[in-house]
Amino acid sequence: MERLFLFIYQYRAFFTFLVLQVICLLLLVNNNQYQSAAFFNSSNALVASINRTSQNFRDFFSLRETNQQLAEENAMLRRQLEQKKQSIYSLSVREIQDPEIVNRFDFVSARVTNNGVDLFKNHLTLNKGKKHGIQPGMAVVSAQGIVGKVKSVSDNFSVVTTLLNIDVLTSVQLKRTSHFATAKWNGQNPDYVDLLYLPRHVQPIKGDTVVTSGYNAVYPEGLLVGTVEKVSLKDEALFYDITLKLSQDFRSLTYLAVIKSNLKVEIDSLENTLNTR
Amino acid sequence: MTIYRVIGFFFFLLLQVVLFRHVVLFHTAFSFIYLLFLFTRPVETNPLISMLVAFAMGLLVDMFYDSAGLHAMASVAMMYLRDFWLTRITPQGGYERNANPTVAANGVQWFLVYSIPLLLVHNSVLFFVEAGGVGYFWITILKVIASVTFTAFILVVYQLFFSKQ
């Protein structure tokens, strides 16, 4: 026994090294899991407030641009609302009366306090959290398209896994032909993602719009993802090699909306009863 | 003396997460100024303590990067090897007592010989673990080489500007 202790003492540096590496590994594995309520991330109150302060300084320089974007979004929403009103009026379609259906989705506006696009697995932090009804798994969108999915929340902040993450696969469809495919980032340019598994009988053309599909557990159907930028098809390949230009610049995200799906619990439990049978 | 080190610890941490986190060239060349704090620990520091310091620093940096354990892992690995490396590259006549391995003490050339292999270890662990293996081999290698070069440059320039002669 004494010899064992002596041995450990002799190689104490190596053993400390080993123990610390194992702790790091455990943290890494925990953090990589799908959804985690980790303490060691930027939703921690102190970390988030430091980030917010530094973001405040940087935001100051993009105020004009942000203002313009928000104004444009407002105008677009007004236009859509008016169109909807007019079409309902002229068609005399009966409005859906059930408030639960009408209020199916709720949007919580939030500001980005921390953002990055340079790593392989990018995250951003929002200034709304559990107190505002945000939970892991909710979709995050901006006016120009989808952004990501809430990964973990603290009382006042939440961490979002963005589309720019080599582990994230998003189910999408070509809007023109309604064929399904999968969008995945390749870790290089934050303006482009790859479009995978589009079979060769489809004829995509440059400029085609790609939107989220309804087969997606996270995003509502029909939200903008990007446009087809480059199409190539190898002779023996089953699927196209397509590069997608994202509809927005992930470097300059400022105000985002978190989508709360009020009927999600009901849908999930209904689907679960089918699965367990 | 200890109090200065504690202040230095938090100073380099803040410098990294507030300023240098956003200094990334072409999405490939990262700058890790917080490593300067780890590099300039006195030569005779107990390796156990220096590894624990590296672990704490790495973990705190990780909280800002949302990558729990990643920087900690790379920093601890680097600190473990630092001891062996320091004994290998002892300058002529040995280190002075309580010497810090800095540019001011040993010159730019020696500091580069000292820091670049350690930076290579740190960045390789960091980027390969983040990519989850060798699936993105060439991009990862590019990131490692670019970041080692850029960080070494930043570290030397910082010391030339701000260290007391």
Side-chain angles (χ1 to χ4, degrees), chain A residues 42 51 114 118-120, chain B residues 21 27 66 73 80 130 143:
Chain A
S42 59
N51 275 331
N114 179 24
D118 302 312
L119 303 171
F120 284 119
Chain B
R21 182 157 59 104
H27 307 297
D66 283 310
M73 187 179 243
Y80 179 65
E130 198 211 355
K143 275 190 171 184

Side-chain angles (χ1 to χ4, degrees), chain A residues 60-92:
Chain A
F60 185 74
F61 298 102
S62 61
L63 273 181
R64 184 191 293 266
E65 201 184 324
T66 311
N67 249 335
Q68 199 182 343
Q69 269 176 16
L70 291 177
E72 274 168 16
E73 191 190 346
N74 261 339
M76 188 191 76
L77 292 176
R78 285 249 175 85
R79 194 164 58 235
Q80 282 181 357
L81 185 66
E82 196 54 38
Q83 282 170 355
K84 203 63 114 193
K85 266 188 193 164
Q86 294 299 332
S87 66
I88 288 172
Y89 177 75
S90 58
L91 291 171
S92 71

